[in-house]
Amino acid sequence: MPFEVLSGYPFPTAPPVDPFAKIRVDDCGKTKGCFRYGKPGCNAETCDYFLSYRRIGADVEFELSADTDGWVAVGFSSDKKMLLETVLPVCNSDIPAVDPRVPPSAASSAPWKAGITFRPRHTKQHGDDVMACVHDDNGRVRIQHFYNVGQWAKEIQRNPARDEEGVFENNRVTCRFKRPVYVPREETIVDLHLSWYYLFAWGPAIQGSITRHDIDSPPVSERVVSIYKYEDIFMPSAAYQTFSSPFCLLLIVALTFYLLMGTP
């Protein structure tokens, strides 16, 4: 073992820290499931958002990466509604902030409360289980667990994540962790044996605390996801889906027909 000598006394050098193993995408659809959001053909280092999952014994391993210096998260939901399912407070300038604990007369002077969603449109009967990888001011990437109910997003101290690792490089937050497929008698941790809609979100952080996500309508899986089925699913970001929607295509066809018919 190598030693460093200081004042005549030997001290063992610190063992090297294992570098973060890059996320492989050639396994997508084969030995793990993947979701890619961004430019066509993007990978875990170039997509706006990337997620993979695979079963390892009694656990599921997740890999997340996003083009952000703050946080990246995945949520497990019984539906595709994103109104009250963000992992952070959402501020809408058209709707005043409302804290149900504050009387209406005092609402205008009430301080801004972390964990409040500012889009009170409807309330879900069940909350959503959210795992977030957060880049803090010390350069570390921490895995946090949230549970969202109604207008509230609450960090849960009981965190099912283990074997956590994360890195912030090239203005990207990337992480890898495992969580049990099933945790008995725990309302805030969903059973991954079941199929859920996956909610994808990312955004900035302030002093290690997450803030509003980067886009108004974060992407959601088109259908429920089963951990027993591996697919490689690409979702084009807004910049690459302008002319891919049926409405836009129909509009182009109609405009072309109009121009041709109007030409003498």
Side-chain angles (χ1 to χ4, degrees), residues 8-173:
Y9 294 94
F11 291 92
T13 58
V17 178
D18 292 335
F20 185 90
K22 290 187 177 182
I23 298 176
R24 299 181 54 177
V25 297
D26 53 344
D27 296 334
C28 290
K30 301 173 184 176
T31 60
K32 64 182 179 182
C34 297
F35 287 90
R36 315 185 198 201
Y37 178 85
K39 181 179 179 179
C42 66
N43 57 36
E45 298 177 3
T46 59
C47 287
D48 293 352
Y49 178 100
F50 178 91
L51 175 137
S52 77
Y53 63 91
R54 64 169 176 159
R55 302 184 314 278
I56 302 179
D59 294 331
V60 181
E61 180 184 76
F62 291 96
E63 297 173 313
L64 285 76
S65 183
D67 184 13
T68 180
D69 62 358
W71 59 271
V72 55
V74 58
F76 310 102
S77 175
S78 58
D79 58 35
K80 300 173 68 174
K81 296 182 175 64
M82 292 290 289
L83 295 177
L84 301 177
E85 296 172 349
T86 53
V87 299
L88 64 154
V90 177
C91 181
N92 186 328
S93 60
D94 297 327
I95 302 175
V98 176
D99 186 340
R101 299 171 299 178
V102 180
S105 59
S108 59
S109 60
W112 189 80
K113 301 290 185 179
I116 301 176
T117 299
F118 293 168
R119 292 180 181 174
R121 302 182 188 177
H122 74 284
T123 301
K124 296 180 59 169
Q125 293 182 348
H126 302 286
D128 301 308
D129 179 354
V130 178
M131 303 297 298
C133 306
V134 185
H135 176 226
D136 63 23
D137 288 349
N138 296 319
R140 299 171 300 182
V141 175
R142 298 173 294 107
I143 316 300
Q144 295 178 267
H145 179 219
F146 293 84
Y147 187 68
N148 300 348
V149 178
Q151 300 179 36
W152 300 93
K154 179 182 179 181
E155 182 178 0
I156 305 299
Q157 294 304 314
R158 185 182 182 188
N159 192 335
R162 55 181 176 232
D163 296 342
E164 308 170 18
E165 51 181 327
V167 66
F168 176 69
E169 289 182 345
N170 302 320
N171 202 45
R172 294 187 69 88
V173 174

Side-chain angles (χ1 to χ4, degrees), residues 217-233:
S217 299
V220 184
S221 62
E222 183 64 26
R223 55 183 180 275
V224 293
V225 179
S226 169
I227 62 169
Y228 300 101
K229 184 177 182 180
Y230 295 154
E231 296 181 279
D232 187 8
I233 298 177

Side-chain angles (χ1 to χ4, degrees), residues 230-251:
Y230 295 154
E231 296 181 279
D232 187 8
I233 298 177
F234 171 72
M235 299 178 291
S237 59
Y240 299 97
Q241 58 185 253
T242 303
F243 297 105
S244 61
S245 68
F247 175 78
C248 289
L249 293 176
L250 181 61
L251 183 61

